[in-house]
Amino acid sequence: MINGVSDVRYQVTGACNLRCPHCFSESARRKADELSLDEAKKMVLDFKENGLKLLTLTGGEPLLRKEFTLKLVEFLSEEGVYSRLFTNGTFMTLEYAEMLKDSGLREAQVSIDGVKATHDGWRGMPGCFDLAVNTLKDLGEVGIRTAIRVTVMPLNYDQMPDLLALAEELGVDVFRVRPFISVGRGRENQQYVLTREMHDCAFGYLAEARHEADVIVQLPAPSYAFLYDRRVDPARLKDRLRLHGCSCGRQLCAVTPDGWIKPCGYFSEKIGNVREDSIRDVWNTNAFLCNFRALERLDERCMKCEYLGICGGGCRAAAYENFGNLEAADPTCPKLRT
């Protein structure tokens, strides 16, 4: 096998009680043919035979299938697979958090997109900020590792100090931040892509603050945090050419509620279906995936950039979804924005 599929992001359902403008999965209503529990277990076993170590239950909102989520977490625990839950935090109770802990859930991430008024306004649900905060408290109380996920946009780029302070106050384990990526529903909302100045403000602050913070600050690709970190010397890295900035399509893939396999959740390209296809065959022979891995060149601006050895060209999904070309420049790259 070319690479083991160690990291799977499984969208438990297409249903969601919110309609966030940046939703990569364009979640709204439950799909008619979502995987049954038995099908999901079979999927897990197939992935496990091919290297699965971590499975993330996301959505939509996975807690709209509460019993399903609980039983799948229990199965993952029995199979020795690390399980994470990504939630909007509007359906959690202390009792359910305890049940998740007893079933073996290892980590839970709650999305918070700004201070209270900003978050409630963006999510379109008054009170959802308080629900998200209470969810983090309940999860922490029962001993589940917790994370806050922030999508950085024009409406919240200057709120990073407040949100990092909130993470420290709540005692969460991880503060995970990425810029708005114009895929899914976000592709129709280009106005939320950061300007260079906004990116500088948010990630310039976080790149330095993470070294002194009381919480782990993760700035995964395509955050471009290295542009602001004085500890990074691009001259020492310029020869480390790599055209993949993350593990997408190499160790990581996504599965939709109805079983379609994609290189990651940001891609719309379907490369197989867990109901019909062997994971091993998909991972080794799918033409799109093979072409993706074989990239040798990107946009000329990327090839000439001193940071290519660090970022690997940024987010290939954002490039492909916006320009229909795997070699295109990442539209979130702050060096290419004004």
Side-chain angles (χ1 to χ4, degrees), residues 95-107:
E95 179 184 15
Y96 190 72
E98 290 172 339
M99 294 168 69
L100 286 169
K101 174 65 174 179
D102 292 342
S103 295
L105 185 72
R106 303 290 297 278
E107 180 180 336

PDB file of all heavy atoms in Angstrom, residues 95-107:
ATOM      1  N   GLU A  95     -24.811  14.783  31.335  1.00  0.00           N
ATOM      2  CA  GLU A  95     -25.103  13.344  31.314  1.00  0.00           C
ATOM      3  C   GLU A  95     -24.557  12.693  30.041  1.00  0.00           C
ATOM      4  O   GLU A  95     -23.947  11.620  30.097  1.00  0.00           O
ATOM      5  CB  GLU A  95     -26.610  13.117  31.404  1.00  0.00           C
ATOM      6  CG  GLU A  95     -27.005  11.646  31.374  1.00  0.00           C
ATOM      7  CD  GLU A  95     -28.512  11.446  31.373  1.00  0.00           C
ATOM      8  OE1 GLU A  95     -29.253  12.415  31.112  1.00  0.00           O
ATOM      9  OE2 GLU A  95     -28.948  10.295  31.609  1.00  0.00           O
ATOM     10  N   TYR A  96     -24.759  13.345  28.903  1.00  0.00           N
ATOM     11  CA  TYR A  96     -24.279  12.767  27.649  1.00  0.00           C
ATOM     12  C   TYR A  96     -22.752  12.799  27.588  1.00  0.00           C
ATOM     13  O   TYR A  96     -22.128  11.874  27.062  1.00  0.00           O
ATOM     14  CB  TYR A  96     -24.871  13.512  26.456  1.00  0.00           C
ATOM     15  CG  TYR A  96     -24.613  12.824  25.129  1.00  0.00           C
ATOM     16  CD1 TYR A  96     -25.275  11.653  24.794  1.00  0.00           C
ATOM     17  CD2 TYR A  96     -23.683  13.343  24.230  1.00  0.00           C
ATOM     18  CE1 TYR A  96     -25.033  11.011  23.584  1.00  0.00           C
ATOM     19  CE2 TYR A  96     -23.433  12.708  23.021  1.00  0.00           C
ATOM     20  CZ  TYR A  96     -24.106  11.542  22.699  1.00  0.00           C
ATOM     21  OH  TYR A  96     -23.855  10.911  21.508  1.00  0.00           O
ATOM     22  N   ALA A  97     -22.159  13.851  28.128  1.00  0.00           N
ATOM     23  CA  ALA A  97     -20.693  13.921  28.188  1.00  0.00           C
ATOM     24  C   ALA A  97     -20.138  12.757  29.001  1.00  0.00           C
ATOM     25  O   ALA A  97     -19.128  12.141  28.629  1.00  0.00           O
ATOM     26  CB  ALA A  97     -20.253  15.257  28.790  1.00  0.00           C
ATOM     27  N   GLU A  98     -20.802  12.422  30.096  1.00  0.00           N
ATOM     28  CA  GLU A  98     -20.374  11.281  30.907  1.00  0.00           C
ATOM     29  C   GLU A  98     -20.505   9.976  30.127  1.00  0.00           C
ATOM     30  O   GLU A  98     -19.650   9.089  30.216  1.00  0.00           O
ATOM     31  CB  GLU A  98     -21.209  11.221  32.189  1.00  0.00           C
ATOM     32  CG  GLU A  98     -20.896  12.354  33.164  1.00  0.00           C
ATOM     33  CD  GLU A  98     -21.855  12.398  34.339  1.00  0.00           C
ATOM     34  OE1 GLU A  98     -22.976  11.834  34.204  1.00  0.00           O
ATOM     35  OE2 GLU A  98     -21.505  12.978  35.374  1.00  0.00           O
ATOM     36  N   MET A  99     -21.574   9.860  29.342  1.00  0.00           N
ATOM     37  CA  MET A  99     -21.774   8.667  28.526  1.00  0.00           C
ATOM     38  C   MET A  99     -20.687   8.551  27.450  1.00  0.00           C
ATOM     39  O   MET A  99     -20.184   7.453  27.171  1.00  0.00           O
ATOM     40  CB  MET A  99     -23.169   8.698  27.892  1.00  0.00           C
ATOM     41  CG  MET A  99     -24.300   8.604  28.908  1.00  0.00           C
ATOM     42  SD  MET A  99     -25.924   8.990  28.204  1.00  0.00           S
ATOM     43  CE  MET A  99     -26.181   7.573  27.134  1.00  0.00           C
ATOM     44  N   LEU A 100     -20.324   9.677  26.855  1.00  0.00           N
ATOM     45  CA  LEU A 100     -19.241   9.676  25.871  1.00  0.00           C
ATOM     46  C   LEU A 100     -17.926   9.245  26.505  1.00  0.00           C
ATOM     47  O   LEU A 100     -17.168   8.461  25.923  1.00  0.00           O
ATOM     48  CB  LEU A 100     -19.091  11.064  25.248  1.00  0.00           C
ATOM     49  CG  LEU A 100     -20.162  11.492  24.248  1.00  0.00           C
ATOM     50  CD1 LEU A 100     -20.021  12.975  23.929  1.00  0.00           C
ATOM     51  CD2 LEU A 100     -20.069  10.668  22.961  1.00  0.00           C
ATOM     52  N   LYS A 101     -17.665   9.761  27.686  1.00  0.00           N
ATOM     53  CA  LYS A 101     -16.440   9.396  28.398  1.00  0.00           C
ATOM     54  C   LYS A 101     -16.419   7.901  28.707  1.00  0.00           C
ATOM     55  O   LYS A 101     -15.415   7.214  28.465  1.00  0.00           O
ATOM     56  CB  LYS A 101     -16.341  10.206  29.700  1.00  0.00           C
ATOM     57  CG  LYS A 101     -15.184   9.818  30.608  1.00  0.00           C
ATOM     58  CD  LYS A 101     -13.836  10.102  29.970  1.00  0.00           C
ATOM     59  CE  LYS A 101     -12.710   9.827  30.962  1.00  0.00           C
ATOM     60  NZ  LYS A 101     -11.370  10.057  30.375  1.00  0.00           N
ATOM     61  N   ASP A 102     -17.540   7.385  29.189  1.00  0.00           N
ATOM     62  CA  ASP A 102     -17.627   5.963  29.521  1.00  0.00           C
ATOM     63  C   ASP A 102     -17.501   5.085  28.274  1.00  0.00           C
ATOM     64  O   ASP A 102     -17.022   3.947  28.352  1.00  0.00           O
ATOM     65  CB  ASP A 102     -18.946   5.665  30.235  1.00  0.00           C
ATOM     66  CG  ASP A 102     -19.024   6.279  31.627  1.00  0.00           C
ATOM     67  OD1 ASP A 102     -17.955   6.630  32.172  1.00  0.00           O
ATOM     68  OD2 ASP A 102     -20.139   6.412  32.156  1.00  0.00           O
ATOM     69  N   SER A 103     -17.924   5.626  27.132  1.00  0.00           N
ATOM     70  CA  SER A 103     -17.845   4.865  25.885  1.00  0.00           C
ATOM     71  C   SER A 103     -16.444   4.890  25.279  1.00  0.00           C
ATOM     72  O   SER A 103     -16.159   4.130  24.349  1.00  0.00           O
ATOM     73  CB  SER A 103     -18.853   5.410  24.865  1.00  0.00           C
ATOM     74  OG  SER A 103     -20.168   5.205  25.326  1.00  0.00           O
ATOM     75  N   GLY A 104     -15.598   5.784  25.774  1.00  0.00           N
ATOM     76  CA  GLY A 104     -14.214   5.801  25.328  1.00  0.00           C
ATOM     77  C   GLY A 104     -13.808   6.988  24.476  1.00  0.00           C
ATOM     78  O   GLY A 104     -12.713   6.984  23.894  1.00  0.00           O
ATOM     79  N   LEU A 105     -14.651   8.029  24.381  1.00  0.00           N
ATOM     80  CA  LEU A 105     -14.257   9.201  23.592  1.00  0.00           C
ATOM     81  C   LEU A 105     -13.009   9.833  24.190  1.00  0.00           C
ATOM     82  O   LEU A 105     -12.930  10.072  25.388  1.00  0.00           O
ATOM     83  CB  LEU A 105     -15.392  10.234  23.565  1.00  0.00           C
ATOM     84  CG  LEU A 105     -15.124  11.446  22.662  1.00  0.00           C
ATOM     85  CD1 LEU A 105     -15.202  11.040  21.192  1.00  0.00           C
ATOM     86  CD2 LEU A 105     -16.097  12.586  22.951  1.00  0.00           C
ATOM     87  N   ARG A 106     -12.052  10.144  23.321  1.00  0.00           N
ATOM     88  CA  ARG A 106     -10.780  10.667  23.802  1.00  0.00           C
ATOM     89  C   ARG A 106     -10.692  12.188  23.726  1.00  0.00           C
ATOM     90  O   ARG A 106      -9.968  12.809  24.490  1.00  0.00           O
ATOM     91  CB  ARG A 106      -9.635  10.058  22.985  1.00  0.00           C
ATOM     92  CG  ARG A 106      -9.607   8.528  23.026  1.00  0.00           C
ATOM     93  CD  ARG A 106      -9.206   8.010  24.386  1.00  0.00           C
ATOM     94  NE  ARG A 106      -7.857   8.423  24.709  1.00  0.00           N
ATOM     95  CZ  ARG A 106      -6.757   7.798  24.287  1.00  0.00           C
ATOM     96  NH1 ARG A 106      -6.861   6.709  23.524  1.00  0.00           N
ATOM     97  NH2 ARG A 106      -5.561   8.212  24.633  1.00  0.00           N
ATOM     98  N   GLU A 107     -11.385  12.801  22.765  1.00  0.00           N
ATOM     99  CA  GLU A 107     -11.224  14.241  22.555  1.00  0.00           C
ATOM    100  C   GLU A 107     -12.487  14.821  21.926  1.00  0.00           C
ATOM    101  O   GLU A 107     -13.167  14.145  21.151  1.00  0.00           O
ATOM    102  CB  GLU A 107     -10.025  14.509  21.642  1.00  0.00           C
ATOM    103  CG  GLU A 107      -9.742  15.970  21.349  1.00  0.00           C
ATOM    104  CD  GLU A 107      -8.543  16.151  20.429  1.00  0.00           C
ATOM    105  OE1 GLU A 107      -7.668  15.266  20.374  1.00  0.00           O
ATOM    106  OE2 GLU A 107      -8.491  17.197  19.751  1.00  0.00           O
TER     107      GLU A 107
END
